[in-house]
Amino acid sequence: MKMPKWLYQSVASLIILLALGLPAAALEILYPVNGSYVTRSDALVIKAGEGVDGLVLEIGGVASDLIDISGEEYRALFQDLLIVEPFFDPGQNRIRVTGYRQGEKVAEARSMFYYQAKANRPPPEGYQAYTMHQPEHEAACVACHDLSPTQEQLDIASPAENPCTTCHRGMFRNEWVHGPAGAYQCGYCHDVQNEKGRFRERKIHADLCNECHQDIVETYQQSKYVHGPVAVGMCNLCHDSHASPHEGQLVAAVNDLCLGCHEGMNSGSHVLRGIGGKAHPLSGVKDLSRSRELNCTGCHNPHGGNSPYFFQRGVKTRMQLCQICHQK
Ligand code: HEC
Ligand code: HEC
Ligand code: HEC
Ligand code: HEC
Ligand code: HEC
Ligand code: HEC
Ligand code: HEC
Ligand code: HEC
């Protein structure tokens, strides 16, 4: 049975009244907010009310040990906040936090949100985008973090003093760090304030990338065939501007990246045109043309080329392509 709207509303306001009337043992998940979606698995921020001295986190049904947040040292550093770097599963996530006082359960908070790394667009339906850098959300952080830096301070080259990396260091714990981000030139691409909002990037995609990677664009604008997303300059669909666990600043491993848009190309039967039902390997073997594992880019140049399929090294025909790896 569906609850009538008026009843729902009065129950909701009753719950709010009850919450206001309760003693201070409240608990709140500040990030990720219930009903939102996130594109990174970098931060989980919990605010514990006064009466709470310990927390148990449950992410995806797996519970942590009791985390003691009552120690003097802890309080001096973090007061009543718990900030951890979590591991969200792709897709829907549920977090439950239980607050304890002297071993007894006194509060609980839940958040259901969606984690979708960039390569798996589009954003999920039914979940809201969440903007962290707004005064009302930053209010809980300003006591300890500098959230009004000058434009020049965005380039301070020290992880502890740069006003952005104090919080955003999780995104740099990856093997492949993009040149200017690794050099702490946050201010080259981000503004303290612009029309998109606080701390937002000044430009995205080719408009930004080409300020330094003009050569890439020139090369492919001269190619006979340019790959769809490159032709429209959408570099960030495939590349992360900061750091990545994948070579080439890619937002996903090569084959996952390509298959995200080209479903069904993972059998390898397309290479041999399914002759005799045979399939060509697409991974798990040595490339033969270079010292890497074979993947889609062994045969296809990701940006463009001289065949309609962007064969590597500018080759024009299937036969020439095969010969890159199979001499005779
Ligand atoms: C009571 C002080 C305090 C408040 C308030 C506070 N933080 Fe922090 N935060 C810290 C300290 C201390 C560190 C550790 C800094 C270091 O190690 O250099 C930190 C580190 C972090 C980190 C990095 C964690 C890591 O290891 O990667 C994130 C993310 C973060 N804070 C987010 C927030 C957010 C979001 C808020 C507001 C909702 C907030 N903090 C409010 C004290 C605070
Ligand atoms: C108090 C911690 C904190 C500080 C300091 C901080 N951020 Fe954030 N920022 C966050 C959190 C938490 C999010 C949401 C999670 C995420 O995207 O990692 C976020 C999100 C963002 C976003 C996405 C848009 C948005 O508002 O949600 C941008 C862009 C961003 N931060 C840039 C910056 C830049 C540039 C700086 C330095 C001037 C900075 N941040 C300083 C905590 C912080
Ligand atoms: C080469 C340009 C560039 C540099 C340098 C750069 N960023 Fe970004 N940043 C971007 C772009 C572009 C986006 C928009 C996200 C997208 O579409 O990929 C972004 C988005 C973000 C976000 C939002 C989360 C996300 O991944 O979308 C955060 C947080 C952030 N940057 C922090 C930083 C910090 C901290 C630094 C300095 C250490 C920095 N950035 C340096 C270009 C840059
Ligand atoms: C301020 C200049 C600057 C901007 C803007 C910039 N880059 Fe870079 N980028 C560099 C530098 C410097 C390197 C490292 C040089 C090198 O190792 O070849 C680099 C390296 C790269 C690499 C790795 C190259 C390799 O050989 O593995 C990729 C991919 C890349 N950038 C993509 C982008 C994309 C996409 C954008 C736009 C979102 C962008 N860059 C914006 C300066 C920039
Ligand atoms: C369809 C996905 C995709 C798009 C869109 C894309 N790239 Fe790439 N890019 C790749 C892949 C895949 C590689 C190869 C990475 C590797 O394996 O080393 C690459 C490599 C690079 C490299 C380093 C190697 C080289 O060729 O010098 C740079 C720099 C680069 N891209 C810049 C850009 C810029 C700038 C744009 C936007 C104009 C862009 N890319 C758009 C997928 C893409
Ligand atoms: C963001 C989505 C996206 C990603 C990621 C992507 N592509 Fe594409 N690709 C397209 C679009 C759009 C076209 C042009 C439309 C078409 O012809 O199907 C295209 C066309 C192609 C074509 C030519 C198809 C034809 O029928 O002529 C090939 C080959 C190709 N992509 C290979 C790749 C490879 C290899 C990767 C990974 C490095 C990749 N794509 C990643 C969107 C994408
Ligand atoms: C060993 C070489 C090789 C590898 C590896 C390879 N391809 Fe292909 N691909 C080809 C050839 C050859 C063609 C042209 C087929 C034809 O002539 O009909 C092609 C065509 C395509 C096309 C366009 C034709 C169509 O049927 O739509 C797409 C899209 C494509 N490949 C995507 C991929 C993706 C994604 C990967 C990685 C998962 C990949 N390819 C790996 C050789 C390769
Ligand atoms: C980028 C390198 C590369 C290119 C280009 C390439 N191949 Fe291959 N091919 C391989 C590798 C690696 C293997 C696996 C060899 C092994 O297992 O030792 C392979 C295996 C094969 C096999 C044997 C398959 C099996 O299961 O035993 C055939 C047939 C084949 N390739 C045909 C082709 C044809 C036809 C083309 C051109 C359309 C082509 N290859 C292009 C790398 C390549």
Side-chain angles (χ1 to χ4, degrees):
M1 193 199 72
K2 247 184 113 193
M3 218 196 290
K5 203 174 167 206
W6 62 268
L7 180 62
Y8 176 79
Q9 278 168 347
S10 44
V11 170
S13 47
L14 185 66
I15 290 172
I16 290 167
L17 280 177
L18 277 175
L20 290 175
L22 281 177
L27 201 55
E28 203 185 336
I29 299 173
L30 295 182
Y31 186 89
V33 162
N34 191 33
S36 66
Y37 77 84
V38 298
T39 55
R40 293 189 166 271
S41 177
D42 281 354
L44 168 60
V45 185
I46 293 157
K47 187 174 175 62
E50 258 175 44
V52 177
D53 57 28
L55 295 171
V56 171
L57 286 181
E58 206 180 305
I59 307 186
V62 183
S64 72
D65 292 335
L66 183 69
I67 304 165
D68 183 0
I69 58 164
S70 66
E72 247 173 69
E73 256 176 67
Y74 188 94
R75 289 281 169 176
L77 271 179
F78 298 105
Q79 292 172 8
D80 54 0
L81 289 175
L82 177 70
I83 302 159
V84 291
E85 196 183 340
F87 291 97
F88 301 144
D89 289 324
Q92 188 178 280
N93 282 259
R94 287 166 202 274
I95 292 185
R96 183 166 70 157
V97 193
T98 315
Y100 289 88
R101 182 191 299 153
Q102 292 168 352
E104 222 168 287
K105 181 177 161 179
V106 289
E108 191 183 275
R110 290 165 192 261
S111 174
M112 190 174 91
F113 59 95
Y114 203 97
Y115 168 49
Q116 177 155 285
K118 276 190 205 141
N120 319 314
R121 302 144 314 262
E125 264 178 57
Y127 291 86
Q128 301 296 310
Y130 178 82
T131 306
M132 168 66 202
H133 292 296
Q134 307 181 65
E136 57 271 37
H137 294 149
E138 290 178 346
C141 322
V142 289
C144 307
H145 292 279
D146 177 9
L147 282 156
S148 33
T150 62
Q151 186 65 33
E152 290 67 40
Q153 287 172 328
L154 266 50
D155 290 343
I156 295 175
S158 142
E161 284 163 43
N162 181 291
C164 312
T165 49
T166 45
C167 290
H168 289 295
R169 71 181 93 152
M171 67 201 288
F172 294 96
R173 288 186 195 120
N174 281 312
E175 190 178 346
W176 306 91
V177 179
H178 185 216
Y184 295 96
Q185 294 178 342
C186 311
Y188 184 90
C189 301
H190 291 273
D191 287 334
V192 160
Q193 178 74 51
N194 62 35
E195 68 279 2
K196 289 187 220 156
R198 282 168 65 63
F199 302 155
R200 290 294 303 273
E201 61 282 353
R202 168 167 77 73
K203 297 175 184 170
I204 55 170
H205 297 316
D207 288 345
L208 177 64
C209 314
N210 295 358
E211 290 177 9
C212 303
H213 295 289
Q214 192 59 41
D215 53 329
I216 293 281
V217 184
E218 274 167 13
T219 307
Y220 295 104
Q221 275 168 351
Q222 285 158 15
S223 302
K224 205 151 169 229
Y225 300 93
V226 183
H227 190 199
V230 180
V232 295
M234 299 182 79
C235 318
N236 287 122
L237 287 181
C238 298
H239 293 288
D240 190 298
S241 309
H242 309 97
S244 161
H246 314 289
E247 192 171 358
Q249 309 306 141
L250 296 178
V251 298
V254 173
N255 285 20
D256 294 341
L257 176 69
C258 310
L259 293 168
C261 290
H262 298 287
E263 269 175 52
M265 302 304 291
N266 51 346
S267 71
S269 61
H270 77 279
V271 182
L272 303 176
R273 294 180 164 144
I275 303 164
K278 272 192 146 193
H280 195 278
L282 301 177
S283 63
V285 287
K286 214 180 142 289
D287 185 318
L288 302 178
S289 73
R290 46 185 189 174
S291 53
R292 315 171 60 163
E293 192 188 322
L294 182 69
N295 62 35
C296 311
T297 65
C299 296
H300 298 287
N301 187 299
H303 299 135
N306 295 320
S307 90
Y309 305 115
F310 330 127
F311 290 149
Q312 271 295 9
R313 308 195 185 175
V315 305
K316 292 185 177 137
T317 65
R318 270 177 71 91
M319 188 61 89
Q320 284 173 306
L321 173 71
C322 310
Q323 284 167 353
I324 293 179
C325 293
H326 303 289
Q327 278 87 12
K328 286 271 163 215

